[in-house]
Amino acid sequence: MKISKSFKIYIHIILLFLISTNLKALEDFSKNVVIHENPQEIKELIIKDSNLQDVDLKKNKGNIVILNFWATWCAPCKREMPSLSKLSEKYPEIQVYTINMEKPNNSKVDDFFKSIEVSNLKTYYDPEFKLVKQLRMRGVPTSILINKEGNEFGRVVGEVDFMSEYFLNIIQKYI
């Protein structure tokens, strides 16, 4: 059976349309961002630093905080982390805590950051997943957005470009 040349062209046009539509959808992160009508109280915000010492983030009231939960094996985490780094540089008044969801391994994390050319973010841990359970997280990457009063005003479930106009418009309302 021989396929006509015009049929092949139509198939290619349809495939190009489907691929371009899919690529456009991949860039629309607005569905990943949830802003709460009423901020939700967070009772406890304790994570571990790279030496596994407690860090109580409830002492940081008065600052906007982003808790970014990630893993070295997570491809969306790898794509979004450079934009989080740029956000941290551009807005030093926003405190960013990148919380690795794996067993503490500073050399593995250092290699990850080197591979994506990020040098200004520190890594924290939640080795017993207490905060993960408290925040009812479903996967990585997830970013919890905390207002100046220490309450969750929103979250990003999945990948986001932290330097996108969409995200910056949201975050600037809380700075």
Side-chain angles (χ1 to χ4, degrees):
M1 179 175 166
K2 191 171 181 180
I3 298 175
S4 73
K5 196 172 192 177
S6 61
F7 182 74
K8 288 180 185 178
I9 292 172
Y10 288 126
I11 294 297
H12 282 93
I13 290 171
I14 291 169
L15 285 173
L16 285 172
F17 173 76
L18 291 173
I19 290 170
S20 66
T21 304
N22 190 27
L23 289 175
K24 185 177 183 220
L26 290 174
E27 295 175 1
D28 180 16
F29 299 120
S30 63
K31 293 178 179 83
N32 296 2
V33 181
V34 176
I35 302 300
H36 306 307
E37 241 179 77
N38 298 310
Q40 299 175 355
E41 181 181 359
I42 300 175
K43 296 183 193 270
E44 187 175 80
L45 273 174
I46 297 176
I47 56 177
K48 304 278 187 183
D49 65 13
S50 60
N51 297 319
L52 299 181
Q53 300 300 311
D54 284 352
V55 177
D56 186 356
L57 300 180
K58 277 299 207 178
K59 295 178 182 177
N60 288 351
K61 285 187 179 179
N63 296 302
I64 299 295
V65 173
I66 297 177
L67 302 179
N68 177 260
F69 293 86
W70 65 281
T72 58
W73 48 261
C74 167
C77 301
K78 193 171 190 172
R79 288 190 301 267
E80 85 171 358
M81 194 67 71
S83 70
L84 184 59
S85 173
K86 289 175 186 168
L87 178 80
S88 175
E89 288 174 355
K90 185 172 181 176
Y91 297 96
E93 63 272 24
I94 299 173
Q95 295 187 350
V96 175
Y97 295 90
T98 63
I99 303 168
N100 184 275
M101 299 307 302
E102 300 163 285
K103 290 181 181 178
N105 183 338
N106 292 330
S107 64
K108 187 176 182 180
V109 169
D110 291 344
D111 291 343
F112 174 84
F113 280 137
K114 280 181 193 170
S115 75
I116 58 173
E117 299 177 359
V118 168
S119 61
N120 65 322
L121 297 175
K122 292 182 180 178
T123 302
Y124 298 87
Y125 298 93
D126 184 19
E128 296 169 13
F129 302 110
K130 288 180 181 178
L131 193 55
V132 167
K133 291 173 187 172
Q134 178 187 332
L135 297 172
R136 297 185 194 146
M137 287 181 35
R138 300 276 182 232
V140 292
T142 296
S143 294
I144 307 299
L145 311 175
I146 300 173
N147 64 18
K148 292 179 180 182
E149 291 75 39
N151 299 316
E152 178 183 332
F153 71 86
R155 67 175 55 199
V156 180
V157 180
E159 180 182 354
V160 72
D161 179 355
F162 289 99
M163 292 303 292
S164 68
E165 186 177 334
Y166 175 78
F167 186 80
L168 291 175
N169 286 337
I170 292 170
I171 202 78
Q172 287 174 347
K173 294 175 186 174
Y174 294 91
I175 293 179

